[in-house]
Amino acid sequence: MLKVEEQQPVAFSAALLEKCAEIVSRYPEGKHKSALLPILHEVQAELGWLSANAMDKVAEYLNIQPIEVYEVASFYTMYFLKPQGKYMLEICRTGPCCLVGAEKLMDHLEQTLGVKEGEVTPDGLFSWRGVECLAACGYGPVLQIGPEYTFYENLDKQKLDDLIQDLRKK
Ligand code: FES
């Protein structure tokens, strides 16, 4: 059974619909399905995550089956299928970053934010998770922060605390 937030009706703003139309116009006639990934990014940017209703609306907009949207959205980790904090902190948990302290930083993040991986802080500001290699293996530990996907290298506890403080002040 769907949770309450997954049953919320979804309305796309005029700006979002305009953006979607512009994205569809990039593709040849009859190939509008190719617009699915960028449209999902835009929908997520506006709504914060992709609920079942949001994905159904995308399917309706592109005139494709809902399952085609679910398959894509559930495959790529950059799409969120449940509510996230305003800022998503993603720490690389692959071998080279773990050798220089990524796991300790994830423990520190859990203690500092007071939520486990994948959860949202009570103020709605933060979520965090470990992710696979962020392609800066010589500069670990590495962190990226969504929604802008800002990149931070050579991280330590103090830098992480400073970053969180800066985000709280925004
Ligand atoms: S192992 Fe962390 S960026 Fe590649």
Side-chain angles (χ1 to χ4, degrees):
M1 181 156 170
L2 290 172
K3 292 182 195 160
V4 172
E5 69 258 17
E6 291 166 343
Q7 300 171 15
Q8 299 286 331
V10 166
F12 292 169
S13 70
L16 176 57
L17 289 170
E18 196 177 315
K19 186 73 187 169
C20 290
E22 185 276 317
I23 291 169
V24 168
S25 75
R26 297 174 197 168
Y27 300 94
E29 181 115 11
K31 301 290 182 190
H32 58 281
K33 191 175 159 183
S34 301
L36 177 55
L37 269 75
I39 283 181
L40 285 175
H41 279 297
E42 293 298 331
V43 171
Q44 180 166 279
E46 175 159 298
L47 303 177
W49 65 294
L50 299 173
S51 66
N53 282 348
M55 290 189 281
D56 288 350
K57 205 161 179 68
V58 169
E60 187 185 325
Y61 181 83
L62 289 173
N63 196 25
I64 59 179
Q65 294 300 312
I67 186 66
E68 296 177 271
V69 182
Y70 303 162
E71 286 169 344
V72 169
S74 61
F75 180 79
Y76 293 105
T77 57
M78 286 174 80
Y79 297 124
F80 302 133
L81 302 183
K82 61 180 192 171
Q84 304 295 322
K86 181 178 178 186
Y87 302 108
M88 167 57 89
L89 280 62
E90 296 178 320
I91 293 194
C92 171
R93 63 174 177 202
T94 305
C97 280
C98 284
L99 286 174
V100 289
E103 288 165 309
K104 285 188 180 129
L105 285 178
M106 287 194 277
D107 291 342
H108 182 68
L109 208 44
E110 183 172 323
Q111 284 170 5
T112 304
L113 297 178
V115 290
K116 293 194 177 305
E117 183 172 10
E119 295 178 347
V120 184
T121 54
D123 58 9
L125 274 184
F126 299 103
S127 297
W128 71 274
R129 65 180 177 178
V131 294
E132 299 311 321
C133 181
L134 292 171
C137 318
Y139 305 97
V142 177
L143 164 78
Q144 67 179 4
I145 301 179
E148 278 92 21
Y149 292 99
T150 321
F151 221 69
Y152 300 91
E153 299 168 342
N154 299 310
L155 209 62
D156 57 28
K157 286 181 185 174
Q158 187 58 55
K159 284 185 192 169
L160 192 51
D161 289 345
D162 292 345
L163 280 169
I164 291 169
Q165 282 307 323
D166 288 347
L167 291 172
R168 282 202 169 109
K169 284 185 209 152
K170 271 193 179 178

